[in-house]
């Protein structure tokens, strides 16, 4: 599989999925990852799916770990929005919160990928 095709198709699928969920929930913020459900869609479909598909193609444990981590993060975002009494999976987040969440999740995912790579470099 061509990596660019898989990543591009997954991004398009994530946008279409988030848009569909936004139409069904009557919340356009979902399409822009402005709700917990929208953010989870981008984590699972936009990051997890292509990394999983590419890990199968190249037998990459790093990509498989990143796929698993992004799916778990997506599930945790939705679960946290359900468990918290003042939150809802379709409640709109403020722009500042979305930006902060993106920075935190990006740093966590980046640090995890670096840790996987460093671990496999030293063991191989």
């Amino acid at each position: 599989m061509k990596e660019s095709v898989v990543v591009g198709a997954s991004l398009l699928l994530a946008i279409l999925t988030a848009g569909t969920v936004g139409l069904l929930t009557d919340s356009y913020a979902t399409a822009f990852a402005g709700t917990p459900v929208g953010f989870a869609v981008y984590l699972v479909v936009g990051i997890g799916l292509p990394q999983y598909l590419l890990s199968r193609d190249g037998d990459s444990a790093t990509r498989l770990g990143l796929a698993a981590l992004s799916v778990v993060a997506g599930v945790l975002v939705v679960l946290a929005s359900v468990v918290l009494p003042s939150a809802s999976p379709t409640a709109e987040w403020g722009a500042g919160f979305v930006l902060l969440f993106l920075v935190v999740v990006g740093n966590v995912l980046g640090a995890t990928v670096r840790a996987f790579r460093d671990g496999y470099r030293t063991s191989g």
Side-chain angles (χ1 to χ4, degrees):
M1 279 186 272
K2 277 189 81 170
E3 186 172 332
S4 60
V5 172
V6 171
V7 171
S10 294
L11 179 61
L12 181 63
L13 182 63
I15 292 169
L16 290 174
T17 304
T20 303
V21 171
L23 286 174
L24 293 175
T25 61
D26 207 24
S27 171
Y28 296 108
T30 302
F32 301 108
T35 64
V37 171
F39 201 79
V41 165
Y42 284 109
L43 281 172
V44 173
V45 181
I47 297 173
L49 179 64
Q51 294 303 321
Y52 172 71
L53 293 174
L54 293 171
S55 75
R56 289 181 50 202
D57 192 37
D59 291 332
S60 173
T62 303
R63 287 185 188 264
L64 183 60
L66 181 59
L69 182 67
S70 63
V71 170
V72 168
V75 170
L76 288 176
V77 166
V78 173
L79 285 178
S81 70
V82 170
V83 171
L84 294 174
S86 63
S88 162
T90 57
E92 292 185 22
W93 290 341
F97 184 72
V98 171
L99 181 62
L100 176 67
F101 202 65
L102 286 171
V103 169
V104 169
V105 169
N107 284 331
V108 168
L109 289 175
T112 304
V113 168
R114 284 190 296 277
F116 273 132
R117 287 183 180 162
D118 291 345
Y120 284 108
R121 282 185 189 142
T122 59
S123 66

